[in-house]
Amino acid sequence: MRSFERQLSANSAELERQKREITEGSTGWESPSNIAIVKYWGKYPDQIPANASLSLTLTEACTRTVIKFRWNEKIDGPVITFRFDGEERKDFADRIGRYFSLLTTFMPWIRNAEFNIESLNTFPHSSGIASSASSMSALALGLCDIENKMYGKDPGENFYRKASFLSRLGSGSASRSVIPEMAIWGITASCKESSDEFAIPAPAIHEQFKGLNDSILIIESEQKKISSSFGHDLMKTNPYAKLRFEAAEENMQLLCKVMNTGDLGTFIDIMENEALSLHAMMMTSKPGYLLVKPNTIDAIQRIRDYRSNTGLAVGFTLDAGANVHVIYPSDQSEPIGNFIDSELKPLCEGGTIIHDRMGGGPIRLK
Ligand code: PMV
């Protein structure tokens, strides 16, 4: 068993002996999405990443989740009702039920709890933006909060670490969403505090990278047809997997260096290399598949041409889909914003662009 997991299991055995101070109440969290600069693609059992990743925590693309809970000794639960955008969703409730059941090792009280969950995303449903990172982290934060309320515990310094650990078990990338600004998840030689079990704040962020903008070009609004679990799984037989994991670690090391010195040009080179490598892995998997669309490639080309013509620091990254994340410093919002409007907007479905930026992490709702 890994060290933090061991600690959490010991705490959970202790909890079973403790008295509950309250037996019902509620909590609410708004948790953001994040975009990986160095990508996590490929994993081992228990959601352990095959390589370390580094991400930018966003501001606008969030999930807001309110959980009402009630302790009930008589049930062997958890019992969950779930409403998304005001509508009862049994399919989501079943999924959350499976996730919560997994967490009973660390939070035994979940078995005897009834949960009434209300959730919504602050970004449009049909935007092609994956909501697993923001939704899983909002749920995990809520559970950590409920546990503290129920047992009268102070949040303590491990609050976000535990929330990140639990988020990871729901969706790997969700582990990074609880961290403000930039997060590292997975063991890397570039950061000795790094862990496979939870994400930590990126140690040094030069002024150059503070408040980076992420304008998300919605090339395709449909939700992806190929799940990331399926993609991670295909890395087990991908002939280039070993080289990819080594390249990701090299990129982590270089990125951590330039984040310290403020070298935006190298940051962009690494970010673009990572985006293309992620999609190269998809294409070279067996079976191979293609998520980029002609307009994705057109946008990438236009961004690169604009950068070489103007010398401005703007680059792209991709998630597991066709949409393009345009990343640039906030002090260049004017010229780059004009370029996005005139050259990139026509490539987007319905002209949709979501303007987001680096953010301060999750917020507890009042
Ligand atoms: O967290 P998952 O299992 O949905 O995987 C996310 C994988 C990518 O979004 C493609 C990359 C990343 O690091 O976020």
Side-chain angles (χ1 to χ4, degrees), residues 279-290:
H279 284 259
M281 289 302 108
M282 294 170 188
M283 293 178 207
T284 53
S285 286
K286 291 177 180 169
Y289 60 104
L290 208 59

Side-chain angles (χ1 to χ4, degrees), residues 216-250:
I216 310 166
L217 312 179
I218 309 303
I219 304 290
E220 184 182 61
S221 65
E222 218 181 300
Q223 286 291 328
K224 58 185 175 187
K225 290 175 203 80
I226 297 168
S227 72
S228 52
S229 313
F230 182 72
H232 286 295
D233 220 45
L234 288 177
M235 284 302 276
K236 290 183 189 146
T237 52
N238 188 307
Y240 304 103
K242 188 169 174 284
L243 284 176
R244 160 65 199 152
F245 302 146
E246 286 164 10
E249 172 59 13
E250 263 173 45

Side-chain angles (χ1 to χ4, degrees), residues 34-36 38-41 43 47 53 132 171-174 176 185 224 228-229 232 278 282 318-320:
N34 69 78
I35 178 72
V38 173
K39 310 290 182 184
Y40 145 62
W41 200 239
K43 63 178 169 183
Q47 300 273 91
S53 55
S132 61
S171 156
S173 56
R176 301 183 308 236
W185 168 48
K224 58 185 175 187
S228 52
S229 313
H232 286 295
L278 169 70
M282 294 170 188
L318 306 167
D319 207 356

Side-chain angles (χ1 to χ4, degrees), residues 5 7 31 116 148 169 176 178 197 235 242 284 292 297 305 336-337 339 345 349 363-364 366:
E5 185 175 346
Q7 191 182 326
S31 192
N116 191 319
N148 289 342
L169 297 177
R176 301 183 308 236
V178 307
E197 295 184 275
M235 284 302 276
K242 188 169 174 284
T284 53
V292 289
I297 296 167
D305 289 346
I336 296 174
F339 155 69
K345 203 177 168 133
E349 197 182 288
I363 300 169
R364 186 195 301 269
K366 293 251 162 45

Side-chain angles (χ1 to χ4, degrees), residues 1 10 26 33 48 60 70 74 104 123 173 177 213 237-238 244 283 297 313 327:
M1 204 187 260
S26 70
S33 184
I48 295 301
E60 300 294 337
R70 197 162 74 93
K74 294 197 190 81
T104 53
F123 47 94
S173 56
S177 273
N213 284 345
T237 52
N238 188 307
R244 160 65 199 152
M283 293 178 207
I297 296 167
I327 310 285

Side-chain angles (χ1 to χ4, degrees), residues 224-341:
K224 58 185 175 187
K225 290 175 203 80
I226 297 168
S227 72
S228 52
S229 313
F230 182 72
H232 286 295
D233 220 45
L234 288 177
M235 284 302 276
K236 290 183 189 146
T237 52
N238 188 307
Y240 304 103
K242 188 169 174 284
L243 284 176
R244 160 65 199 152
F245 302 146
E246 286 164 10
E249 172 59 13
E250 263 173 45
N251 279 342
M252 277 300 290
Q253 295 191 18
L254 192 54
L255 194 66
C256 285
K257 256 188 218 140
V258 302
M259 285 199 1
N260 209 348
T261 59
D263 176 357
L264 251 175
T266 308
F267 177 90
I268 289 170
D269 288 345
I270 298 168
M271 176 173 75
E272 295 190 349
N273 172 265
E274 278 288 318
L276 298 176
S277 302
L278 169 70
H279 284 259
M281 289 302 108
M282 294 170 188
M283 293 178 207
T284 53
S285 286
K286 291 177 180 169
Y289 60 104
L290 208 59
L291 297 181
V292 289
K293 297 281 168 202
N295 279 1
T296 310
I297 296 167
D298 201 346
I300 288 174
Q301 208 49 59
R302 289 181 194 205
I303 293 165
R304 287 187 157 176
D305 289 346
Y306 176 79
R307 181 168 72 230
S308 70
N309 294 338
T310 61
L312 291 178
V314 51
F316 69 86
T317 187
L318 306 167
D319 207 356
N323 297 338
V324 179
H325 292 247
V326 189
I327 310 285
Y328 53 100
S330 52
D331 62 4
Q332 297 298 327
S333 292
E334 215 192 309
I336 296 174
N338 290 339
F339 155 69
I340 291 173
D341 274 347

